[in-house]
Amino acid sequence: MTTTPTTTTTTTTTTTLSALIVGVLADGMIDSNEVSQLRASVYSDGEVDADEVRALLSVAEEDVSFSGNAESEFTELVSDAVYSYAAADGEIDNEEASVIRTAIENDGQVSYIEEMVLRRLLSSSATMPSDFRQWATSAVDDSTVSV
């Protein structure tokens, strides 16, 4: 029996997501329809991978405006995706913690959306590396902290 490597699916999904993000950011405004398109792309294969988490967190760092309810919808999408990637199995491992922390620290600040992601992870019952928990707690305590 021949199986298709999952890396092909992941690469295709990530490429599609990247192209979608470029389009979403082109006008500097994110609307509900675009959030729905991002959600459909991220969950198209039934899983959220590290590249998708990095991509969504990079959008969370952008200086964009939101129309209507799009900001809360996008915040929910990012929070759900990061949780699905890292904490849904009850444990955030070192690799997952590293992906999340590196993506959030990318611009040296913790955005509101990133703070909401960290709050969700911290409030989950998932176990996580103690250094990640300490860093996340500090970031949430002072969301304007430079990282």
Side-chain angles (χ1 to χ4, degrees):
M1 175 188 222
T2 305
T3 59
T4 305
T6 56
T7 54
T8 302
T9 303
T10 300
T11 302
T12 302
T13 302
T14 304
T15 301
T16 303
L17 179 60
S18 296
L20 183 57
I21 287 171
V22 168
V24 164
L25 295 177
D27 67 356
M29 174 74 72
I30 298 176
D31 63 34
S32 292
N33 183 49
E34 291 169 326
V35 175
S36 294
Q37 291 173 6
L38 289 169
R39 182 177 292 277
S41 179
V42 167
Y43 288 101
S44 65
D45 62 356
E47 295 183 7
V48 180
D49 65 36
D51 289 334
E52 291 164 330
V53 166
R54 287 183 196 101
L56 288 174
L57 287 170
S58 74
V59 174
E61 294 177 342
E62 293 292 326
D63 185 20
V64 296
S65 298
F66 294 91
S67 67
N69 293 326
E71 183 172 19
S72 63
E73 293 167 357
F74 182 71
T75 301
E76 181 180 346
L77 166 59
V78 178
S79 179
D80 289 350
V82 173
Y83 180 86
S84 294
Y85 164 71
D89 64 356
E91 177 183 5
I92 301 172
D93 64 31
N94 286 322
E95 180 181 343
E96 293 162 340
S98 177
V99 166
I100 296 164
R101 184 173 179 169
T102 300
I104 290 175
E105 288 182 331
N106 187 47
D107 68 346
Q109 296 180 16
V110 178
S111 72
Y112 168 78
I113 294 170
E114 292 166 333
E115 178 186 350
M116 294 301 102
V117 167
L118 293 176
R119 285 183 184 278
R120 175 148 185 213
L121 294 176
L122 289 168
S123 68
S124 75
S125 59
T127 60
M128 62 191 72
S130 61
D131 61 326
F132 179 77
R133 180 179 296 281
Q134 290 170 347
W135 169 80
T137 300
S138 176
V140 165
D141 286 346
D142 182 8
S143 63
T144 60
V145 68
S146 293
V147 288

